Amino acid sequence: MSTDPRRFQTEEVFLSQIPAVQLLVNLGWQYLSPAEAMAARGSKRANVLLEEVLRAQLKRLNSIQYRGAVHPFTEENIHAAIQRLRAVPNDGLQRTNEAVYNLLTLGISLEQAVDGDTKAFSLGYIDWQRPENNVWHVSPEFAVERTRSFDTVRPDLVLFVNGIPLVTIECKAPSELLEQGISQTIRNQTEDFIPALFHHIQLVLATNRNSARYATVGTAAKFWAAWKEELPSAQEAELRAAISKPLPALVQASLFELVQAHVNEGTAPRAEQTRASYTVQREPTVQDRTLYGLLRPQRLLELTFAYTVFDGGQRKVARYQQVFAVQKVLAAIQSRTNDGAREGGIVWHTQGSGKSLTMVMLARQLALDPAVNRSGEARIVLVTDRTDLDKQLGNTFAACGFIPHRAKTARELLSLVAERKAQLITTLVHKFGRASGIKKFTDDSSEIF
């Protein structure tokens, strides 16, 4: 078998990169050529933000509601918001990425004078609740300047939301090992390569036609995971329509120009032959199903906002079984019995499937879901049967930004529950029996989980 790298590059583009762009564009991502992406970031290869796009979106998404009137943020504040995101202090990959994540999910407060009063007003970078309010871009061969060097590294695809890079994808030929894409992505995050890009990135993927893995920033190779999802008929139809609709002519021309940069006359006929094979309908590949499952706009926002945690400084993104377990629980608790009570249920797990983090993600969703916590009285009690697991859950929640109250004694458990002193409680199952011996207490609220 030939090991000519030019052949691999040609196959990468035609058998992975172009199909990926085709799917993403037809799911709502706008295509940016390398030249257009360079212009949007001020022609600076060290700048990873599409600042023109970001500036326009910050103005569009944000306004100040004050005394019954609507006011725009000043140009100075818009510039300050961009600068905050661009110049996050480099405190190492994980800490800096967490700081950026907090900016993206929580927004920032900026002081501005309105009607003679100077107050702090909130500004957000992304509309997490309404995907259609954001702007989505995909750009191939996104050249980023290496640290302390004029050399560049070019991830195969970078995906932007409101001009902010959130996803990188390494595309491989079917004859190449997927592990090469994983190792490239991990290498690119190191200090000598392009960590500045990964300070903003939320999801990383390595893919070819027959296999795909995903992870997040800082994930070791052994923890990159496959995404498995059985699509309902409507979504299956949407996927098939997206891979059947050809790319616009201008996008095709841009992508095929990239191919010609990798081939010479001897390999160009092969490239043209491969090009022709992707102008007809085809069956969805593993790559197609993975990209659809992870990167359609609403799902990407969900994974980033609701299914990402920082556990002891290590960033983690949910695996498919965690996402669907949480979604099933959230759906189940919306139904009630005739007397207004909620029905319970069981989620079966295997060892090593991530039970603790599933509980963290579920608790966060319960706390944030307005349908669940409409009155602000929802209480979450995590009950386990082992002291070490109780400690682990408490530490996991604390590391993820929650303030759990660990009931170390039966009397403390009774106090926390009966007097409604805490929204999140962790405890051991045998303490319930002891607590009932201290004082008989009943709470029929349907807002206790």
Side-chain angles (χ1 to χ4, degrees):
M1 178 182 291
S2 170
T3 57
D4 185 348
R6 293 168 299 182
R7 183 179 69 81
F8 284 141
Q9 290 170 332
T10 304
E11 289 184 348
E12 283 179 8
V13 175
F14 278 116
L15 301 180
S16 181
Q17 192 178 39
I18 290 178
V21 172
Q22 177 189 14
L23 173 60
L24 292 168
V25 166
N26 290 329
L27 289 177
W29 297 82
Q30 300 176 43
Y31 176 80
L32 278 183
S33 70
E36 290 170 328
M38 182 63 72
R41 53 183 171 144
S43 300
K44 298 177 182 178
R45 294 181 300 177
N47 187 7
V48 300
L49 299 173
L50 307 180
E51 291 193 13
E52 288 184 1
V53 177
L54 179 57
R55 180 174 289 104
Q57 278 298 99
L58 291 181
K59 292 179 180 179
R60 177 172 174 265
L61 293 178
N62 296 280
S63 60
I64 296 171
Q65 311 280 336
Y66 189 64
R67 291 182 176 176
V70 179
H71 305 269
F73 278 93
T74 63
E75 289 292 336
E76 291 78 9
N77 271 336
I78 296 296
H79 178 77
I82 296 174
Q83 187 65 17
R84 284 279 297 275
L85 193 59
R86 182 174 60 179
V88 175
N90 187 352
D91 193 20
L93 179 67
Q94 289 282 356
R95 288 180 180 274
T96 308
N97 183 266
E98 183 175 1
V100 171
Y101 178 83
N102 289 335
L103 283 175
L104 296 181
T105 54
L106 302 176
I108 60 173
S109 292
L110 296 167
E111 286 194 349
Q112 184 165 319
V114 179
D115 292 341
D117 296 331
T118 300
K119 295 182 178 294
F121 300 96
S122 296
L123 177 144
Y125 293 93
I126 294 173
D127 190 334
W128 296 99
Q129 305 303 319
R130 293 168 293 182
E132 67 277 5
N133 282 349
N134 303 299
V135 173
W136 309 80
H137 288 104
V138 54
S139 186
E141 308 289 337
F142 188 75
V144 181
E145 200 169 85
R146 288 180 59 174
T147 306
R148 297 180 295 276
S149 172
F150 292 114
D151 294 336
T152 61
V153 176
R154 297 180 301 173
D156 291 331
L157 294 173
V158 177
L159 279 60
F160 301 83
V161 178
N162 297 339
I164 305 163
L166 296 193
V167 182
T168 66
I169 307 175
E170 288 298 331
C171 299
K172 293 297 169 188
S175 52
E176 289 185 280
L177 293 175
L178 197 65
E179 286 74 14
Q180 294 178 359
I182 295 174
S183 63
Q184 281 180 312
T185 303
I186 293 174
R187 178 207 66 185
N188 288 343
Q189 298 174 45
T190 62
E191 191 58 35
D192 289 336
F193 280 81
I194 51 172
L197 175 64
F198 290 91
H199 291 163
H200 299 81
I201 292 296
Q202 308 297 307
L203 206 63
V204 291
L205 290 90
T207 183
N208 63 31
R209 184 171 59 187
N210 304 317
S211 183
R213 295 289 186 275
Y214 76 102
T216 189
V217 170
T219 305
K222 65 180 179 180
F223 294 119
W224 284 54
W227 181 265
K228 300 178 182 179
E229 182 175 2
E230 295 183 7
L231 296 176
S233 57
Q235 291 182 345
E236 180 72 22
E238 181 183 42
L239 168 60
R240 289 178 176 272
I243 64 174
S244 298
K245 183 179 178 181
L247 284 165
L250 291 177
V251 177
Q252 289 189 40
S254 173
L255 290 170
F256 297 145
E257 285 178 10
L258 295 178
V259 178
Q260 295 307 316
H262 297 310
V263 299
N264 57 28
E265 287 187 9
T267 55
R270 178 184 178 88
E272 289 302 316
Q273 183 179 7
T274 312
R275 170 181 176 175
S277 71
Y278 269 93
T279 60
V280 296
Q281 293 187 354
R282 56 186 172 82
E283 285 296 304
T285 63
V286 173
Q287 171 177 293
D288 294 326
R289 294 192 179 280
T290 300
L291 298 185
Y292 182 84
L294 295 170
L295 299 180
R296 59 187 189 271
Q298 182 174 355
R299 174 61 57 75
L300 176 59
L301 294 188
E302 289 174 348
L303 286 173
T304 302
F305 188 87
Y307 295 101
T308 294
V309 296
F310 290 86
D311 182 6
Q314 181 70 36
R315 181 175 182 139
K316 298 178 180 179
V317 64
R319 287 171 280 182
Y320 69 93
Q321 71 269 19
Q322 294 171 308
V323 172
F324 298 133
V326 171
Q327 290 182 351
K328 289 282 189 181
V329 173
L330 291 173
I333 63 174
Q334 298 304 322
S335 62
R336 295 177 181 262
T337 62
N338 292 333
D339 60 359
R342 300 183 195 266
E343 292 187 353
I346 296 174
V347 178
W348 288 97
H349 284 72
T350 56
Q351 185 174 0
S353 61
K355 295 181 291 294
S356 298
L357 291 183
T358 302
M359 296 169 81
V360 172
M361 295 167 187
L362 174 58
R364 178 164 63 181
Q365 291 283 76
L366 289 170
L368 295 176
D369 190 340
V372 171
N373 198 21
R374 184 177 294 109
S375 64
E377 296 182 356
R379 285 168 285 163
I380 301 162
V381 185
L382 290 171
V383 186
T384 62
D385 62 354
R386 302 195 317 276
T387 301
D388 59 341
L389 184 56
D390 184 43
K391 291 180 179 178
Q392 176 190 345
L393 284 170
N395 293 338
T396 299
F397 269 95
C400 295
F402 287 85
I403 305 176
H405 292 260
R406 184 172 173 233
K408 299 178 182 178
T409 66
R411 193 172 297 277
E412 186 177 5
L413 171 63
L414 184 63
S415 174
L416 287 170
V417 173
E419 300 178 25
R420 301 189 178 188
K421 291 183 177 180
Q423 186 183 23
L424 178 59
I425 303 167
T426 68
T427 192
L428 298 173
V429 65
H430 63 264
K431 288 183 169 50
F432 278 84
R434 295 177 183 174
S436 65
I438 298 172
K439 177 183 177 182
K440 297 299 180 183
F441 173 75
T442 300
D443 192 329
D444 294 326
S445 171
S446 62
E447 307 308 309
I448 299 177
F449 300 92

